Every structure is written in C-alpha cells, then in structure tokens.
Amino acid sequence: MPARLAHRTRPRSVVLGALALAASLALAACGTGGGGGGTDAATDSGAASNTLVIGMTATNIPLLDTTLSQNEGYEGIRFVGNQMFDALTRFDLSDPGKIPDVVPALAESWEPNEDLSVWTFKLRPGVTFHDGEPWNADAAMFNLDRIINDASPQYYPELNAQAGLAISGVQSARKVDDMTVEITTKGPWSHLPADLTTIFFGSPKAIQELGNDGFGKAPVGTGPFKFKEFVQGQRLVMDKNAEYWRGAPKVDSVILRPIPDPTARVAALRSGEVNWIEVPLPDDVESLESEGFTVHLNSYDHEWPWVLDTSKPPFDDKRVRQALNYAIDRDSLANDILQGTASPLPQAAAEANFAFRKENDTYTHDPEKAKALLAEAGYADGFTFRLSFPTSGSGNMVPIPMNEALQADLAEVGIKVELEPIEWAAMLQDFFVGNIPGGAEAINISLSYQQEGFWTSWYGTDAATNAGKYSNPEVDALFKEAKTIEDPAARSEVYAEASKLITDDAAWLFIVSDMNPRATAPSVKGFNMPKSWFVDLTGVSVGDGTASTDQ
Amino acid sequence: MIRFLLRRIGLAVPTLLGVSIVIFVTIRIVPGDPVASLLGPTGSAEARERLTKDLGLDAPIPVQYVKWLGNVVQGDLGRSIAKQTDALPYVWEAFRNTLTLSIFAALVAILGGIALGVLAATRRGRVASGFSTAVSLFSISAPQYSVGLILIVYLSAGRGWFPSGGMRNPTGDSGFGDLLNHLWLPGISAALVPLGIIARMVRSSMLDALSADFVESLRARGIPEWKVRWHAFHNALPSVLTIAGLQVGYLLGGVIFVEIVFSWPGLGLVVFQSISQRDLPVIQAGVLVSALAFVVINLIVDALHGLMDPRIRR
C-alpha cells in the first residue's frame, strides 16, 4: 500500500498534463478554426492573387524532372512536364474544335531526309532556361544524351525507361551547329515530331550542379511556369515565367494538389480550396453545373475497350467478336451511367484520333443481329467467358458499374460474362508482356493514343503489348507504310484504312471513349478544353478579386 | 526497471526481423512488379529487362533479402523506384505527418474514451450511460471511410467550417492554427475506433474496480463519492493504458483510409501508393518504420506500466 501511495502522483500528472495539452489545443482551435476563417482565406487569396489551384487525381505530386513527370500517369506530363518544360515540338491546343496538330516548340522547324530516317531540327533562337542559361544545341544534346546515350556521364536509365515509346524510334543524335541538332531514327519514322512532344529539356547547368536528386527537387526548364516550392505529398507551387517565349501566362501562379478521392476533390472545389479539379464523378456533374461551376468535356484520344483474345475460342471467330459489338448498348452506358462524361465508340478510332472517319461508324445496338451472328458461328445457345478488369487506375472511369452494365447487355443475347476484378499494377504486369491475367478470354483496360506508335503496339502482329494476339497482314502493311509518309494528312488516310479493317474485324469490343471531365470555379476564365489529354494553361486567368464567386 | 526495459528492447530486434522477412516475401509473391508499373503500358522490352537488372530484381529472393538487410544495418533503406529518391527520408517525412495526425487522434480518443467510459460506469442504468454506450458502439462500427466523407460533405463543402483535405493551406498562412484547422476532420475520423474501444475498456475496468472490496471500505470510512471514484479510476488505469497504447500504435501505422479521404500526406498514403506501384524499397521502409513505431509505443506503455504498478517491475 505505501508503495502505491508513493506512486500515485505520477499517473495523475500524466492525465493532468494530457488534459492541459488538450485544452490548449482546443483554445488554439477556437482562435483559428471557428467560422472557417482558414477556408475563406483560401478562396480569397486564390482569387485576389490570381492563382490557379488544381486538385489532381494523383495520389502524390508527380516527379519534377522533365519526362520522369509521367510517373503519376500522364497527369504528370499534363501538369508538370508541359508546364515547367518544353519539348522540341508541341501539340497546338488552341482550337477546341480540332484534333491538335504538332507544331514547333523548342525547335523552330525540322526537315527529314528522303526516307524519313535522319531529321534535322533548327532550334528556336532567343529562348533561355528559367536560370538564364541559353537554349542551344549543347543544351539539347546534354538532355538527349541523358536519355539515350548510355556512354555519357549524365545518362539516366530510369529517364530512358520512362521516356518509353516516345524515344523508342531514336537511334542517335548529334550536334550540327550551335542551333541545329540531327536525330537519326531506327528506319523510317514519320511520326518522330509527334513522339518528341513529351521529351522535355532541363537546364544543363542546373542538372550538373544539383545532380539528379537535387534537380528532381528544384527543376529548371524553359516552360510557361517556373518552379517555386515543392512539399512532398502536399503541393507544388509554380510561378509564371514572364519571359516565356510564347508570351507570359495570365495567372501569377499555379498550385498542384493531389486529392485522390473523387468525393473529397469535389468537396474541395465546392469549399473553394481549389478552383480546378480533374475528373469529378459522373453523378456530380449535374449538381456542379447547377451550382454555377463549369464542367468541361471534350473528346480526346482515349478508348475504354475489352481486348478479346483472338487466339483461342470463342473469340478466334470474327463473327463472335462482331456479335459482341452489336450486343452492347453504348449510348445508354455513355449517357446513363457516365452522365455524358464519355462518348460511344462504334469503331476502332476515337473521335479525336486522326484515323477517325465518321463513315467508319459500324456498330449499333442490335441484339437480333448479334444473335444471328452467334448462331451462324455455332453459338446459338450462347457461351460463357471470363473478363479480367482493373477496379481502378488511370483513365478507367467507374469500371465496376460499367462492366456490370455490359455484362447485363451480353446476357440478353445469351453470353454469360464472369467478371474477375484485378488490381491495376498486377494487371499491367501481364498486359505489358502481351498476356491477359489469369488466362481470361478478355481484358478491360483504359488506353490512350498519346503517340501514333500505339496503333502498332496494340494491333501489330509482332507487338509485345498486343494482348489480344490480333493479327492481320494487311493492317501490318499499312502500319509499315505509314512510317514512310511524312505529311500527317496523307498518313491519317493510311491509319483510317487500317482502322476500318480493324473495325470490320472487330479486333476488340469497342465500347466508349472518355470525355476527360474536369470542373472549374466561375472565377476561372479563358480555358478552352482541347481535344487532347493535355492542357494549355497560358491563356487561363482567375477572377478579378472583387467578387467571391466560389460559394 | 532498467533491466526490464533492456529486455524489452532486446525482444524488439527479432520482432522487427520477423516483420521485415514477412513483408519482403509477401510483397514479392503477389502478382505485379515495380518495373511494369514504372514503365506502364508504353515501355519497351529492352527497357524492362535493363531496369529489372539495374534494380537487382533478377536475383533470388533470399539473396535480395540478405543484401537489403545488410544495407539496412548500415542505415541505407534503399532508393524509391517510383520516386527516384532515397526511401528513408521520403518515408520519414510521411511518418512525421502521420505522427502529427496520430497524436491529435490519440488525444481525442483517449480523452473522449475515458470521459465516455467513466460516464457509462458511474451512471449505470441512466440515460447518460445509454448515450455513452451508444456512442462508443457507433464509433467502433462506423466505417472510417464513410464517416470521413460525410464530415467532408457536410462540414467542409456544405458549411465551409473546415478544409476538406490536405495538411496545410497551399496559399495562405501555414502556422499552427492552420495545421490545427486541417487536423479536426481527419483527427476525429481516425479517433473513432480507438475512442470506442477505449471507452468500453474504461467502462468495464471501472465497473470491476467499483465492485472491489476497497471501494466498500472507502465508502464505509465516509470518504466522499467523487474521491472513491477517483481511487477506482486509478485502479482501472493500467488496463486502459495497455489498450490505449495498442490503439495509438495502430494509428501510427498509418490510418490509410483517413489519409486517402483527406489527402493527408502520411505514411498510410505513401505505403498505399507504393503498394499499387510495387515500389518495394518504400513498402519495406514504410512497414519497418511503422513496426518500429509500434514497438516503441509498446515500450513506452510498458515503462509507464512499470511506473504505475510496481508489481510488474521485474
């Protein structure tokens, strides 16, 4: 008993201390939290200081080092790569009504040789990096060597790996004179200028002085926005580059915030903490619009298909694949479940792909025709197959209700689909080497044609990522021919022809194309949503600070 | 006391080793690999092969483990594959954020839990007791994820009282008040389950203590009722402390759902993302740090126990 008495004071002091701490916390809370002073401040300072605050879908801020920015999916290229850096070429995103053309950026012009295997790029004069270093052939070569030349001291294997398909055609590069570089490709490579839109250039001086790690925390490019501050997991702050060669951006700064949960993202927009969000849920679109927010929609080069394994029954039979394509109700999926945030895809090419031709629209909702095709193929009583699908992941929209709706459509014509959910990372590993996870007969995946090379990657007979094992020698020949045609308009005719063949073959079940939904506060002006995954923020402005419009 | 603590610390080493082996092996058994997720659907076969080799992923798992362990002993937890930065500072920063959230949530849970538990034990059969039992039951069973979203929808987007997520205001001031403002909603969401558990523990321990013989004798001596209850509370504390310590330990492991809903840049979010990217070094570093935190919390609880109750100090 005495021992206990002697120790009585200690636990009491622990409890009392905790109480005191809690009380002080509570007091501090009343001082600042009461009445929501903090959130109002965010709204006001956003509008008054002309700051664009973007709620991204990514879980974290993307990497900041040039092309490594695509590590959080292509959202990183959209908001980090394209904003702080430039590439030799860029997509012209100024006209929302037209598929973006590839136009000069850090290169002023380019000229290929006869067979399109050696490309001479004239660099744009008078451009400087944010640290004042000049843009010239030495700077270009330093960056290109960093990506492709494993003999150079600055070679960065992860950067090479991440550059992926965009750099896959490049054999070598050399400096011709102070403002000219020459790139040699692996054979004819007509779409090199389009590929190079995501190969970004950083200041050689900054990269050398800071090293890869340091540069990744304080990057220096030539883009419309300059790096200002980076807080891991919380925000990236970029200030406008007043000397930008295309003209200074209208906003003073852009802040990126990762908000992975869609409901929280919409809430952040409603409470005024951000004035721009990516991908609101389809169900929120209508209410956001009625509250005065602008929901931006436009088609871009994206597809949400089921890739069918054409190497084994039942999908080795073209009629069965066509039957699937006739059995589903794309309009209802796009308008009811997705509330217009996606458009039906009745052919192989999305509307914003240059291979799209209206007359190639083939598949309508025609269950009778589907049944007839199935009967013809010997499946009058239907069949059962397994579909592997990721439950989330970049560009996958709302995969569970979407796949369930398709399952119901197919049941109407006697086809039973067993849905097998799989985690995105696990799915990618298989898809990457051209397999469908778990030996299923089909896989649902979200794909976007950021580079023309994707046509070959997905439908080419020998392509590593052709998970459906689709093969058509005529299509292969057209892809090969396209590599030798420089004029984009003429090339698009060839792809349109290939796309028509693929559509008729019903290589995949073509379903819908995403409309890239995003929402902005009424104070955000001057944004015209292009037919592209990418955005041009230079023309965007935020409020005038006189009226609080974010209520 | 010192020997008692040393023995506890000695036990922590095999615990951490075991945790590290389990996580090392399981994360390699599940399908998906870091190379595929880093390169995405657009990478080339050569790039994939080269990267696998560069990362040392072509070696057998035991070899990889021994190599990893050798580096850990020297304080090198490897390099994040997806983030291109050293894993330890990356994870450590996230852990500090989780620590902030956890301490706040623990305060809410412990103070709230004790208040509810004492109320339930001392007002048996009355409305107050029913109320506190209902609240503790609700807080244990309500899914954190949904509660978090409801708080966001009504208190943040609806009323604008609190920010909907993040840890700091990206445009305005970033002082303590700003942090606290961001702490309320995630803190309350994270505190719910431990609060309910602590409340129930306090209630049953208090009831036990109140029915003990010494309470009768205290009352017989005419000691005021509030003093009697204070004595009973003191006797109930050790078991409450054990439960509270465990709960704080769980909080420190990263409150994944809460961190996702509120975009709280903590360890749970980092590990969650690393799992989906198969960023092996970060997963290992993250799990190791949270296991270490768990062990340390338990050590502290044991030490506090020793201070409070001399019987276990051997």
Side-chain angles (χ1 to χ4, degrees):
Chain A
M1 202 61 179
R4 185 180 291 177
L5 282 175
H7 286 282
R8 183 187 282 164
T9 54
R10 293 192 191 174
R12 184 183 291 164
S13 64
V14 169
V15 174
L16 286 177
L19 279 169
L21 186 54
S24 70
L25 283 175
L27 282 175
C30 295
T32 56
T39 50
D40 289 350
T43 313
D44 290 341
S45 67
S49 65
N50 197 8
T51 297
L52 191 61
V53 189
I54 297 175
M56 300 190 295
T57 67
T59 314
N60 206 333
I61 303 284
L63 295 187
L64 308 183
D65 185 337
T66 60
T67 303
L68 282 181
S69 57
Q70 67 168 285
N71 86 310
E72 294 283 342
Y74 264 69
E75 209 174 14
I77 298 268
R78 179 192 286 167
F79 288 127
V80 174
N82 273 333
Q83 306 312 329
M84 284 196 290
F85 302 96
D86 286 306
L88 288 174
T89 55
R90 69 180 181 94
F91 288 110
D92 178 8
L93 304 174
S94 57
D95 185 349
K98 151 172 170 229
I99 298 173
D101 290 325
V102 176
V103 296
L106 287 180
E108 199 178 30
S109 64
W110 56 85
E111 192 68 50
N113 68 347
E114 185 90 10
D115 78 341
L116 311 186
S117 64
V118 180
W119 296 71
T120 308
F121 288 86
K122 283 271 172 214
L123 305 185
R124 184 176 298 276
V127 176
T128 52
F129 287 95
H130 302 150
D131 60 359
E133 288 293 295
W135 160 249
N136 54 33
D138 290 325
M141 283 311 302
F142 180 88
N143 279 276
L144 289 172
D145 280 344
R146 191 166 178 243
I147 303 171
I148 56 168
N149 180 5
D150 56 11
S152 72
Q154 71 269 30
Y155 179 66
Y156 194 176
E158 282 83 359
L159 182 58
N160 172 285
Q162 196 92 98
L165 208 58
I167 203 73
S168 64
V170 177
Q171 179 80 48
S172 62
R174 73 179 185 95
K175 170 181 170 179
V176 176
D177 62 44
D178 238 18
M179 291 310 276
T180 313
V181 292
E182 182 186 281
I183 293 179
T184 305
T185 52
K186 300 168 179 163
W189 210 272
S190 57
H191 51 83
L192 181 71
D195 287 4
L196 293 179
T197 51
T198 55
I199 299 299
F200 300 114
F201 293 84
S203 158
K205 185 173 165 227
I207 295 170
Q208 279 169 313
E209 279 178 2
L210 302 170
N212 287 341
D213 276 19
F215 186 75
K217 291 183 177 79
V220 181
T222 58
F225 293 92
K226 296 193 259 197
F227 171 81
K228 185 181 180 203
E229 188 199 15
F230 166 62
V231 185
Q232 183 67 261
Q234 298 186 48
R235 64 181 179 271
L236 171 69
V237 185
M238 300 181 280
D239 281 346
K240 75 169 171 193
N241 173 10
E243 273 92 55
Y244 189 48
W245 59 270
R246 277 202 292 131
K250 289 184 179 156
V251 287
D252 294 330
S253 50
V254 172
I255 298 176
L256 301 183
R257 287 183 59 186
I259 311 180
D261 187 275
T263 309
R265 215 155 49 232
V266 170
L269 180 70
R270 285 201 168 116
S271 69
E273 290 160 73
V274 302
N275 43 31
W276 171 309
I277 58 165
E278 298 289 295
V279 201
L281 284 176
D283 290 342
D284 283 325
V285 166
E286 211 183 308
S287 62
L288 280 174
E289 279 181 330
S290 70
E291 290 160 39
F293 294 98
T294 311
V295 176
H296 306 264
L297 295 170
N298 202 346
S299 52
Y300 75 108
D301 211 345
H302 170 274
E303 299 193 5
W304 191 92
W306 285 4
V307 176
L308 310 171
D309 189 345
T310 62
S311 71
K312 62 182 187 190
F315 298 130
D316 56 347
D317 190 323
K318 176 169 138 178
R319 290 167 299 188
V320 177
R321 303 193 301 260
Q322 286 171 335
L324 251 66
N325 271 290
Y326 280 115
I328 62 167
D329 187 351
R330 295 174 178 81
D331 291 320
S332 145
L333 188 64
N335 297 325
D336 301 339
I337 293 182
L338 297 167
Q339 299 285 320
T341 59
S343 58
L345 183 70
Q347 60 164 298
E351 199 189 318
N353 190 295
F354 75 168
F356 173 84
R357 298 291 181 274
K358 186 72 191 157
E359 63 268 23
N360 287 354
D361 275 0
T362 303
Y363 298 107
T364 49
H365 183 211
D366 191 344
E368 290 314 312
K369 193 163 183 175
K371 280 184 193 159
L373 281 162
L374 283 176
E376 209 179 297
Y379 290 102
D381 298 331
F383 58 91
T384 300
F385 76 96
R386 294 183 299 145
L387 171 82
S388 180
F389 75 101
T391 50
S392 64
S394 172
N396 283 288
M397 304 189 267
V398 284
I400 296 171
M402 289 169 76
N403 281 312
E404 282 171 352
L406 294 168
Q407 186 185 36
D409 284 348
L410 292 176
E412 303 251 315
V413 299
I415 300 173
K416 190 164 174 270
V417 187
E418 289 168 2
L419 298 178
E420 296 187 349
I422 183 171
E423 192 221 344
W424 204 56
M427 184 272 291
L428 270 188
Q429 187 191 11
D430 276 320
F431 188 77
F432 200 78
V433 289
N435 286 334
I436 294 178
E441 284 79 25
I443 182 171
N444 164 227
I445 188 170
S446 149
L447 298 169
S448 155
Y449 292 74
Q450 304 300 345
Q451 278 114 25
E452 240 174 275
F454 281 101
W455 278 102
T456 319
S457 295
W458 292 327
Y459 296 113
T461 301
D462 301 323
T465 49
N466 178 351
K469 317 273 190 308
Y470 170 75
S471 176
N472 183 339
E474 272 183 85
V475 170
D476 291 338
L478 287 168
F479 288 157
K480 204 164 168 213
E481 188 193 340
K483 292 242 187 223
T484 64
I485 303 172
E486 195 205 348
D487 175 34
R491 208 160 72 236
S492 88
E493 291 300 329
V494 177
Y495 278 108
E497 212 181 317
S499 167
K500 179 159 177 42
L501 289 171
I502 294 167
T503 304
D504 291 340
D505 279 342
W508 298 347
L509 174 57
F510 308 110
I511 306 171
V512 289
S513 174
D514 183 25
M515 298 283 277
N516 217 358
R518 56 172 55 102
T520 54
S523 56
V524 175
K525 307 238 161 57
F527 176 63
N528 287 318
M529 180 104 144
K531 283 187 185 300
S532 170
W533 172 260
F534 303 116
V535 292
D536 185 348
L537 298 179
T538 54
V540 178
S541 64
V542 179
D544 51 10
T546 51
S548 179
T549 41
D550 295 10
Q551 292 311 311
Chain B
M1 188 69 196
I2 302 286
R3 263 184 51 203
F4 165 80
L5 283 180
L6 282 179
R7 205 169 60 222
R8 283 307 184 130
I9 292 171
L11 271 173
V13 175
T15 308
L16 290 177
L17 266 182
V19 167
S20 75
I21 291 175
V22 169
I23 191 67
F24 202 92
V25 173
T26 45
I27 198 65
R28 278 165 176 78
I29 290 175
V30 295
D33 80 78
V35 176
S37 73
L38 182 66
L39 298 185
T42 74
S44 68
E46 307 93 75
R48 180 185 160 81
E49 207 168 296
R50 187 160 15 164
L51 202 60
T52 306
K53 213 166 158 195
D54 286 348
L55 296 170
L57 295 170
D58 48 349
I61 293 179
V63 175
Q64 289 183 41
Y65 179 74
V66 171
K67 206 172 151 206
W68 176 78
L69 192 64
N71 289 334
V72 168
V73 172
Q74 295 166 44
D76 174 11
L77 273 90
R79 219 175 136 71
S80 161
I81 297 167
K83 286 286 161 209
Q84 292 295 306
T85 181
D86 287 333
L88 187 58
Y90 178 54
V91 163
W92 184 249
E93 202 176 324
F95 175 73
R96 280 192 356 221
N97 297 338
T98 290
L99 194 66
T100 309
L101 178 57
S102 300
I103 290 176
F104 184 85
L107 279 175
V108 173
I110 291 172
L111 295 176
I114 288 177
L116 279 179
V118 170
L119 199 67
T122 55
R123 299 266 193 283
R124 286 182 74 189
R126 298 194 209 165
V127 178
S129 162
F131 168 77
S132 78
T133 311
V135 169
S136 61
L137 201 63
F138 167 80
S139 80
I140 291 172
S141 19
Q144 286 176 332
Y145 188 83
S146 319
V147 172
L149 285 179
I150 289 168
L151 290 177
I152 289 179
V153 168
Y154 288 101
L155 298 187
S156 169
R159 317 230 156 218
W161 288 351
F162 300 101
S164 64
M167 188 170 152
R168 301 271 184 191
N169 194 335
T171 50
D173 113 278
S174 282
F176 178 72
D178 179 36
L179 173 65
L180 196 69
N181 204 19
H182 284 81
L183 265 172
W184 281 109
L185 298 188
I188 288 171
S189 308
L192 280 181
V193 171
L195 184 144
I197 292 173
I198 290 170
R200 291 166 71 108
M201 192 69 206
V202 170
R203 178 176 170 273
S204 66
S205 312
M206 269 298 271
L207 285 177
D208 275 354
L210 281 171
S211 61
D213 292 343
F214 78 91
V215 170
E216 287 302 312
S217 67
L218 288 178
R219 282 189 181 133
R221 279 189 229 161
I223 291 183
E225 187 58 24
W226 68 269
K227 261 192 171 171
V228 174
R229 285 187 183 157
W230 178 251
H231 279 285
F233 179 64
H234 184 193
N235 272 272
L237 259 189
S239 49
V240 171
L241 188 69
T242 309
I243 290 292
L246 271 178
Q247 295 305 321
V248 175
Y250 292 141
L251 284 175
L252 278 178
V255 231
I256 296 188
F257 284 131
V258 172
E259 289 181 2
I260 291 172
V261 175
F262 292 96
S263 330
W264 189 267
L267 192 60
L269 198 58
V270 160
V271 171
F272 167 78
Q273 191 191 19
S274 305
I275 289 172
S276 63
Q277 293 177 328
R278 298 292 186 272
D279 194 346
L280 307 174
V282 174
I283 301 172
Q284 276 143 217
V287 171
L288 205 64
V289 166
S290 57
L292 188 67
F294 199 86
V295 167
V296 168
I297 287 285
N298 274 301
L299 261 179
I300 294 173
V301 169
D302 284 343
L304 281 178
H305 250 174
L307 286 178
M308 265 196 251
D309 190 344
R311 287 170 302 185
I312 60 161
R313 234 182 292 154
R314 303 232 152 136

